[in-house]
Every structure is written in C-alpha cells, then in structure tokens.
Amino acid sequence: MRALRILLIIVVILGGLFVAADRIALHFAESEAADKAQQTQGLSEKPDVSIEGFPFLTQVASKKLDDVKVTANGITAGTGAAALRIERFTAELHGVRLGDGFASAVADTADGSALVTYADLTKAAPQGVTVTYGGAGTGGAGKVKLTASLDVPGVGTVKRSVVSQITVKGGDTISLKADSIPDLDGLPASVETLIREQIDFSRELLGLPEGIKLKSVDTGPDGITVAATGTNVVLSD
C-alpha cells in the first residue's frame, strides 16, 4: 500500500509539472504569435491571441492547433485617402496547420468580423460627406445616413441627407448607394448626378489574409459590422 501511495504521489506531481509546462509553453506561444502578427500586419498595438484546447504541447507535436482566437484594434485597411480604419477585428481560426519550423501557418477555416465606426467611415468618405446611423429600414435591415454639401454652378450650395444601402461586393469591398435623392424639384437633372458622385462610393478592405472573403455587413448605432469567412487561410508564410 505504501508503494502504491508513493506511485500515486509521483503521478500527481508529474501531472502537475506537465500542466505547468504546458501552460508556460502556451503563454509563450501566444505572446510570440501576437508579436509576429503586430510586426507583419503593421499594427499600432499588440493584438490578443488565444490558443484554445488542452493540452497545447500535443497540438504542437502534431503541428496543428485546434482553435485560435485573435482580437486586434485600430487596423488600417488600405492607404491614402481611401484608407479605412477598423476599430476592432476578431477572428476564430480552426485547424491551424504549422509548417517550415513553425514559421508558416494556414488555417483550414476562419470566421471573423470587423467593426468600422461612423466617424471612421466619414474620414474614408469623399470630401464633404458625413456618415451616421440611418436606423432600421424595411424588414429590419439597418441603413446608413449620408449628408453631402456641394456648390453647384448657377444654383449655389446644395445640401442633402440621404439613406443608403450598404453591401459587400467582390469579397473585399463595401459599397454605399443611396435609395434616392430627395427634394430635387426645380433643380437641374445634373444635380442628382453631382450628389451621387459624392455619396455613392466604395472602399476596399485591403490587407486581408489570403483566403479570407467578406460575406455580409450589418449596421448598428455604433457602426457597421462586416462579417468575413474563408478556407485555407494563409496567416504567415
């Protein structure tokens, strides 16, 4: 009985040491992954990386992580005047395959979302256009409200507010298009064209990992939320 008790104590101690080693290795890996993501994506702050599943060391040995969750703030998609700031980006990666001495990573599947505030949408909009929440439209779908002001030769300053649909196009672009331009009676037909040149615009979300595609967009009081999904998503190579 004494020998059995000693054996059980040893097993418990070894198990505890394994768990401790596993958690230490996990913490180190998460920190290293966050550092690499910040460097390769040019992020202003370190993202949060959480590697799910236990034990971690057996996943490393098989060179495949079950699930990885990533949250990053303040990402800039694109460059120049068309750059679009993403307030918060979250992603859940499944079946992350590690290769080349753990230098490369490819996820079997990925799902994510990006929150863009109306203030940041306004900054990315054409000059003179502001973007705000437009409330729920027909069927409950949210819309955005755009206000544009422009000087029309022979007419003067024309200011109009419109409600616009916002959609995803081509898997990497969000597009805004007004339902109609109100109160144009008595104005030249060219005025509608000039206003639409300002308020109907598109912006690409550049810099997405290879394999990720935008699939839908929802609007709410805090901003727009763009959903994305993908397969064989290249995280680093």
Side-chain angles (χ1 to χ4, degrees), residues 77-167:
T79 58
L84 183 61
R85 181 181 180 274
I86 298 173
E87 175 73 11
R88 183 175 64 255
F89 176 78
T90 60
E92 293 189 5
L93 314 170
H94 310 288
V96 180
R97 305 188 302 274
L98 308 173
D100 298 330
F102 304 105
S104 68
V106 178
D108 291 340
T109 61
D111 295 287
S113 65
L115 172 66
V116 181
T117 67
Y118 295 115
D120 287 321
L121 266 179
T122 297
K123 291 178 182 178
Q127 187 174 2
V129 175
T130 59
V131 187
T132 57
Y133 181 49
T138 304
K143 295 188 177 183
V144 294
K145 180 181 178 182
L146 285 82
T147 301
S149 179
L150 69 158
D151 293 324
V152 180
V155 176
T157 301
V158 176
K159 184 177 181 179
R160 292 291 183 275
S161 292
V162 302
V163 175
S164 293
Q165 300 274 2
I166 182 165
T167 57

